[in-house]
Amino acid sequence: MRTVQVRTGIVQTPRGGTLGLLYPLFAAGLDGPLGSGEQWLSWIGIDDLLDIYRHAVLDDTLSGPVNAVAPNPVRNTDYTSTLAHTPHRPALLPIPALGPRLLLGKQGADELALANQRVEPAILARAGHQFRQPHLETALGHLLGRTTMEPHDK
């Protein structure tokens, strides 16, 4: 029997997860990189994640572990800069590691907000999978209701 293990990155949706927690803070101007900001973030937009699940079910050439992440991982400093750009706010004040630990607990902070993971969707790329939003800026713009976003300085 064919099985596919979808290994999911940090899902971007305003209805929950890290984006649901962080966007209200950024919109209020309480923003900045988490911890050192140097950690890698392998993210995925919710629409692309659903496409990957559909692909895993319908494409019988896929089997085994599949990384459900966008093809362009970013460092936390770039993530927070891009997220802050969405409501046109600066991302100036770093958020110490204590902040995510208070919100998510030690394990949640260490495994989500402060984790350093750079993962690429190599199997999906070989299978010809096309991402709707392969870049963070367009994904966040789409998810937060801004269909076009101007490039910004990082």
Side-chain angles (χ1 to χ4, degrees):
M1 175 190 296
R2 179 179 72 91
T3 60
V4 178
Q5 297 84 34
V6 178
R7 301 189 301 193
T8 307
I10 304 298
V11 180
Q12 302 300 299
T13 175
R15 295 186 182 256
T18 55
L19 183 58
L21 287 172
L22 292 177
Y23 186 70
L25 296 173
F26 278 59
L30 303 171
D31 50 32
L34 300 175
S36 72
E38 292 302 308
Q39 64 272 27
W40 284 97
L41 176 69
S42 295
W43 61 275
I44 182 83
I46 187 70
D47 296 336
D48 280 320
L49 179 60
L50 295 174
D51 286 346
I52 291 168
Y53 278 117
R54 184 182 47 143
H55 193 155
V57 169
L58 299 177
D59 183 349
D60 60 5
T61 65
L62 283 182
S63 66
V66 173
N67 293 329
V69 294
N72 298 295
V74 296
R75 290 200 182 268
N76 183 266
T77 53
D78 295 327
Y79 178 84
T80 54
S81 175
T82 302
L83 181 57
H85 179 71
T86 305
H88 299 290
R89 303 270 192 207
L92 302 173
L93 301 172
I95 299 170
L98 177 62
R101 286 192 175 114
L102 288 174
L103 286 174
L104 303 170
K106 182 179 180 348
Q107 183 178 359
D110 290 347
E111 292 179 8
L112 294 174
L114 303 172
N116 185 22
Q117 296 184 2
R118 184 175 184 169
V119 180
E120 303 210 4
I123 291 174
L124 288 171
R126 284 195 297 272
H129 181 79
Q130 297 293 312
F131 286 84
R132 294 178 191 214
Q133 284 98 25
H135 299 281
L136 183 63
E137 199 161 73
T138 55
L140 292 179
H142 167 73
L143 291 166
L144 298 172
R146 299 196 48 173
T147 55
T148 58
M149 288 180 56
E150 298 295 321
H152 66 285
D153 295 331
K154 294 184 179 175

